[in-house]
Amino acid sequence: QVQLVESGGGLVQAGGSLRLSCAASGSIFEINRMAWYRQAPGKQRELVAAVTSSGSTNYADSVKGRFTISRDNAKNTVYLQMNSLKPEDTAVYYCNLDIATMRMYHTNYWGKGTLVTVSS
């Protein structure tokens, strides 16, 4: 059993910044990939950023240079620093963690989502 708690969403004006956090707790043996997805009204959920256990990152083209994903393994937490926010970034943001609860057993866990609204 793993629980994810997201925080950091809110309302911000264009050009502003927000920092999202997603902390995992429970029976965790190892966390492999950590990622953030988002879903805007009328749109499909899309990958925003991801970071592997080795530290490799990848970003959606739309957020490159503005967003930074990072992880704190000691705290089982992934962060998404969002700078220079645009109205197009408005969406519900979901964290997704690939977690092994014991060796050889793993699955993806989703956060419940946190709303980010960027006003113009």
Side-chain angles (χ1 to χ4, degrees), residues 16-73:
S17 298
L18 285 173
R19 189 194 192 202
L20 305 184
S21 299
C22 178
S25 62
S27 301
I28 299 172
F29 174 76
E30 181 181 70
I31 303 179
N32 301 123
R33 179 179 178 269
M34 293 180 169
W36 288 95
Y37 292 75
R38 68 185 181 187
Q39 187 167 22
K43 304 289 186 179
Q44 288 193 317
R45 189 172 300 184
E46 64 176 349
L47 176 66
V48 177
V51 57
T52 68
S53 58
S54 64
S56 297
T57 59
N58 66 281
Y59 299 89
D61 288 339
S62 59
V63 307
K64 285 182 179 178
R66 300 188 297 119
F67 291 10
T68 302
I69 188 171
S70 61
R71 59 191 288 165
D72 186 333
N73 293 327

